[in-house]
Amino acid sequence: MELNTIKPADGAKKARRRVGRGIGSGLGKTAGRGHKGQKSRSGGYHKVGFEGGQMPLQRRLPKRGFKSASLKFNAEVTLTDLQRLGAAEVDLLTLKQAGLVGELAKVVKVIKSGELTTKVALKGIGATAGAKAVIEAAGGSVA
């Protein structure tokens, strides 16, 4: 085999479609566009979702729902989670290592759900008013 003898396999190369080049090509006159109508004309297409002037589906349906893009950076931890964790000092890194919050979490808040009997010191983590009261009653602190 030589470089000058290499050629593609039979049927691998197909001549491109040359429209509007006479009757003999099979794509002369209307150039494969059929007769009349919007799609036969130059520039004759409509935007996505267009329904011929009828009110399109995306406008007939009511607007509903919204999901904030910043939700993935916020996380919640319960008092029960802190109890199970069993650490004296808790910060964002501790929670991430324990798998209680996601890796993307930047803002964490402790919510009042469950019981807490151990002393826990929170560093750089927020807490709801109820959760703060429970933490401080157990001898802990929120900073």
Side-chain angles (χ1 to χ4, degrees), residues 11-142:
K13 298 285 255 180
K14 194 173 173 190
R16 74 184 179 91
R17 220 163 75 148
R18 297 185 70 219
V19 295
R21 290 293 180 273
I23 199 168
S25 70
L27 291 166
K29 193 181 167 221
T30 56
R33 287 169 170 259
H35 294 276
K36 296 188 183 174
Q38 187 178 22
K39 290 203 258 185
S40 73
R41 310 190 190 286
S42 66
Y45 258 90
H46 48 74
K47 64 185 178 196
V48 174
F50 184 70
E51 297 182 20
Q54 172 177 300
M55 187 61 68
L57 183 68
Q58 74 270 22
R59 289 190 58 199
R60 277 179 294 193
L61 298 175
K63 290 197 282 185
R64 190 177 166 274
F66 168 78
K67 190 164 184 175
S68 174
S70 65
L71 281 178
K72 60 184 168 218
F73 301 115
N74 300 337
E76 287 180 351
V77 176
T78 64
L79 293 171
T80 309
D81 292 334
L82 291 180
Q83 180 77 32
R84 270 199 228 113
L85 191 60
E89 275 197 16
V90 178
D91 61 353
L92 188 59
L93 190 63
T94 311
L95 293 174
K96 283 183 180 180
Q97 287 170 344
L100 289 173
V101 297
E103 287 298 315
L104 293 175
K106 292 180 182 173
V107 179
V108 178
K109 202 167 201 179
V110 178
I111 57 171
K112 185 185 174 188
S113 176
E115 297 294 319
L116 181 70
T117 54
T118 56
K119 184 178 173 180
V120 175
L122 299 182
K123 301 261 192 248
I125 296 173
T128 61
K132 188 175 180 180
V134 172
I135 291 167
E136 288 171 350
S141 62
V142 179

